[in-house]
């Protein structure tokens, strides 16, 4: 059976079950080292049936057939068309066969062979990151782990040393080192200080072939930052600080700022300030500004230049977060001296006390001194001071003060029962500079004296039964006193001398600030005496003794057998069953008289409405008040028609009055027509004459009809009628010709003209 043979003389089928091994990128019989040249024989094949006459045709199939590998159909030579890369595909499986060119039938079975690509070192190591970032604390020990870098090689790790990577440091010595096999970077220098250098850039190289000559390499950059630790104590830049503060500086106000420098950052640089000693330890305080880490010195107590003008403090600055590992570097604190000079300012007077409490008896005479306040100028000049009372606190001016010595005295009587405490304010001001003033409260307590007599606790009005028995208690009395009593009030009760012997009642003092009224006889008659007035004298036991006489009203009443009051009215017992006949007649007559009065009053009012003339002055006044109305101008046509005054001929004879409701309808009266050029005054006189003879025209008709102003007003009229003259040149004598209804107006305006003339 014919068979395919390779050009190397291997027996059997076309590389049957065999392998054609190739080296990628330049090794083997078909490809020069380092270069794959196309169209070069790679695997020469030959069939025993091939006579060399061109009757056979070689064909190739499998991985890369026709693309990466092609076969010469005449000679059977297989050629590579492209450069092979093991990293892309390490193995190719191909199948070759010889067929009859004419018939297309295979002349022998298909042969399969495998092409393996041998690796060469054509890939350099690649790091997983282009740039690494790492950080470690400053002052770390040698060999402290920083970061691990990793590089990979795409070459075959099982074939030679192409993929064996070795790490080395190109930049960053002597501060750091790297393990050649693991890529772990460590510190190589002791006590690296962040304050000297914070950032480091390290370059690491990864090289294959185990680092031998000719190996490929790659690099990466590692940025290493030293983080801060508290290895630096705070330090004041100067040992002494000086500040000035006016003595008027308010409490908690800043005097100055100091700062200790710390080379560390963040919480390692946080500082706490304190005053450790000095003569101003209790006068000043210090706090820390969290933003600037400065110490703010503030005033804790009021400063006084006259008392002390210089304070020396010792201030200490301490780290709040101390790292025990670095305590060997020394104490993490520092101190400085602060000198504070107090400056003198013009201060207001100062009172000897923050408040004064005084006591005065309520019966003290006027202008009596009750106490003295004292204030002095605290400045070295010792300016004189004048005193005054703030009248907003003593509106009634009960007290006054001597402006020179500050003695307070009364200017009005005092009454403890009206006001127990008087709270006033005294002002002390410098005479040379009144703006420099101060105030002090003065509390004045009014002490009690026995100036009020005791009196009944309430108004007593009691009764006694007609059938009362002797020595019977009818009322218990008690008293009160407006005055105070330190030992308690003790009142004594007695009857007034004028009633002690002739009274029908007796008084018994119970010695407990109460007294009882008792009957002296057996029976009382209310028809003889219906009411008794019993005077009682009440005295206290204070000094001086005060007493008053109070009256108890005792009514005599009818009572039942149990002593319950039935009636205290003597007349009620005469007709207990009802009213007498005479009383009933009197009541009936009163009712009749009242009804007649009402009827007469209504008739008079009805008759008054029909009075043709007004006689009394009161009627005129009432009419004027009733028509106190300006109307609505030309738009108001409800009361009267203004056009009537301007065109008298337009009067409708059948038109009724619109301002009143007529009680009786009279036949309309035709008036004489007025000439077109007649003056309004002539028209009014004509109408006036007609109304004087008309009994149905009420008096207020004239006020509604004759509202004529004229046309001479400088300020111009607000009504629809224009004035012709002003008050100054108006002649009111014609009012006397208008009849009795205008007599009052004529008297008023006529008297005004006479006053002006005079």
């Amino acid at each position: 059976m014919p068979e395919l043979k390779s050009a190397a003389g291997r027996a059997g089928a076309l590389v049957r079950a065999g392998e054609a091994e190739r080296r990628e990128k330049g090794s083997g019989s078909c490809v020069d080292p380092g270069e794959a040249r196309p169209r070069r024989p790679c695997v020469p094949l030959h069939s025993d049936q091939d006579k060399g006459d061109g009757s056979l045709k070689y064909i190739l199939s499998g991985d890369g057939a026709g693309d990466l590998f092609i076969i010469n159909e005449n000679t059977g030579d297989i050629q590579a068309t492209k450069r092979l890369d093991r990293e892309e595909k390490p193995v190719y499986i191909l199948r070759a066969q010889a067929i009859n060119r004419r018939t297309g039938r295979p002349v022998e079975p298909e042969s399969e062979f495998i092409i393996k690509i041998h690796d060469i070192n054509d890939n350099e190591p690649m790091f997983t990151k282009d740039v690494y970032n790492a950080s470690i604390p400053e002052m770390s020990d040698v060999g402290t782990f920083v970061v691990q870098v990793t590089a990979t090689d795409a070459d075959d790790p099982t074939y030679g040393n192409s993929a064996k990577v070795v790490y080395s440091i190109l930049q960053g010595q002597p501060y750091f080192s790297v393990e050649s096999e693991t890529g772990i970077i460590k510190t190589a220098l002791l006590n690296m200080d962040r304050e000297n250098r914070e950032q480091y850039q390290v370059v690491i190289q990864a090289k294959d072939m185990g680092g031998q000559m000719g190996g490929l390499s790659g690099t990466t950059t590692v940025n290493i930052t030293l983080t801060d630790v508290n290895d630096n104590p705070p330090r004041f830049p100067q040992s002494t600080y000086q500040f000035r503060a006016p003595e008027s500086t308010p409490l908690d106000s800043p005097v100055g700022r100091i700062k200790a420098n710390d080379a560390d950052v963040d919480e390692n640089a946080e500082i706490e300030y304190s005053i450790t000693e000095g003569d101003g330890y209790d006068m000043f305080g210090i706090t820390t500004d969290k933003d600037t880490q400065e110490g703010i010195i503030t005033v804790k107590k009021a400063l006084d230049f006259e008392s002390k003008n210089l304070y020396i403090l010792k201030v200490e600055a301490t780290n709040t977060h101390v790292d025990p590992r670095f305590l060997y570097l020394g104490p993490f604190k520092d101190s400085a001296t602060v000198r504070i000079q107090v400056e003198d300012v013009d201060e207001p007077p100062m009172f000897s006390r923050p408040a004064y409490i005084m006591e005065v008896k309520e019966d003290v005479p006027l202008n009596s001194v009750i106490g003295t306040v004292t204030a002095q100028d605290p400045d070295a000049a010792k300016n004189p001071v004048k005193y005054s009372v703030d009248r907003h606190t003593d509106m009634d001016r009960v007290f006054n003060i001597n402006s020179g010595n500050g003695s307070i005295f009364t200017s009005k009587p005092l009454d403890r029962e009206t006001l127990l405490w008087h709270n006033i304010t005294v002002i002390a001001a410098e005479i040379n500079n009144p703006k420099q003033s101060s105030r002090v409260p003065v509390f004045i307590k009014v002490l009690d004296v026995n100036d009020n007599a005791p009196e009944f606790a309430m108004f007593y009005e009691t009764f006694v039964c007609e059938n009362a028995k002797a020595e019977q208690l009818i009322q218990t009395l008690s008293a009160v006193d407006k005055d105070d009593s330190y030992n308690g009030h003790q009142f004594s009760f007695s009857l007034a001398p004028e009633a002690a012997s002739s009274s029908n009642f007796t008084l018994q003092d119970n010695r407990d600030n109460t007294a009882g009224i008792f009957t002296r006889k057996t029976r009382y008659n209310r028809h003889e005496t219906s009411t008794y007035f019993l005077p009682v004298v009440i005295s206290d036991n204070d000094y001086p003794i005060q007493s008053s006489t109070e009256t108890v009203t005792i009514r005599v009443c009818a009572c039942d057998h149990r002593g319950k009051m039935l009636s205290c009215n003597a007349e009620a017992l005469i007709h207990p069953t009802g009213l007498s006949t005479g009383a009933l007649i009197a009541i009936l007559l009163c009712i009749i008289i009242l009804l007649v009065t009402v009827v007469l009053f209504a008739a008079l009012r009805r008759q008054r409405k029909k009075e043709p003339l007004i006689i009394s002055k009161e009627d005129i006044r009432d009419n004027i008040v009733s028509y106190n109305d300006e109307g609505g101008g030309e738009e108001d046509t409800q009361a009267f028609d203004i056009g009537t005054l301007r065109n008298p001929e337009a009067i409708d004879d059948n038109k009724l009055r619109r301002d009143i409701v007529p009680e009786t309808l009279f036949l309309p009266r035709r008036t004489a027509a007025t000439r077109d050029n007649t003056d309004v005054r002539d028209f009014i006189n004509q109408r006036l004459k007609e109304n004087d003879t008309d009994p149905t025209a009420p008096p207020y008709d004239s006020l509604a009809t004759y509202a004529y102003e004229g046309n001479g007003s400088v300020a111009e009229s607000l009504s629809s009628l224009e004035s012709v003259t002003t008050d100054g040149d108006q002649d009111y004598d014609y009012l006397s010709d208008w009849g009795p209804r205008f007599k009052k107006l004529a008297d008023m305006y006529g008297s005004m003209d006479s006053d002006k003339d005079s």
Side-chain angles (χ1 to χ4, degrees), residues 256-322:
R257 290 172 174 255
I258 61 175
K259 183 177 182 180
N261 299 324
D262 194 324
D264 298 321
V265 295
D266 299 333
E267 68 174 14
N268 296 320
E270 292 182 1
I271 300 174
E272 182 178 353
Y273 296 90
S274 61
I275 299 176
T276 57
E277 58 183 66
D279 52 3
Y281 180 81
D282 58 340
M283 297 294 295
F284 300 91
I286 189 169
T287 58
T288 302
D289 188 333
K290 298 300 183 182
D291 296 329
T292 63
Q293 294 301 314
E294 292 179 314
I296 305 174
I297 301 175
T298 58
V299 178
K300 289 174 56 178
K301 292 185 179 180
L303 303 177
D304 187 6
F305 174 83
E306 290 72 27
S307 300
K308 189 175 181 62
N309 57 16
L310 178 63
Y311 294 91
I312 300 176
L313 310 174
K314 184 178 180 180
V315 178
E316 188 174 82
T318 307
N319 277 139
T320 56
H321 299 87
V322 178

Side-chain angles (χ1 to χ4, degrees), residues 61-79:
S61 62
D63 296 337
D67 182 16
L68 291 177
F69 303 99
I70 60 176
I71 191 170
N72 191 318
E73 60 181 15
N74 296 321
T75 63
D77 294 336
I78 299 176
Q79 297 174 337

Side-chain angles (χ1 to χ4, degrees), residues 584-597:
L584 294 175
I585 295 174
I587 293 174
L588 184 59
L589 288 176
C590 289
I591 294 174
I592 294 173
I593 293 173
L594 181 61
L595 292 175
V596 171
T597 303

Side-chain angles (χ1 to χ4, degrees), residues 93-108:
I93 301 175
L94 299 174
R95 293 177 295 278
Q97 191 175 25
I99 61 175
N100 189 288
R101 186 183 296 273
R102 184 171 56 84
T103 62
R105 293 182 179 180
V107 296
E108 59 183 36

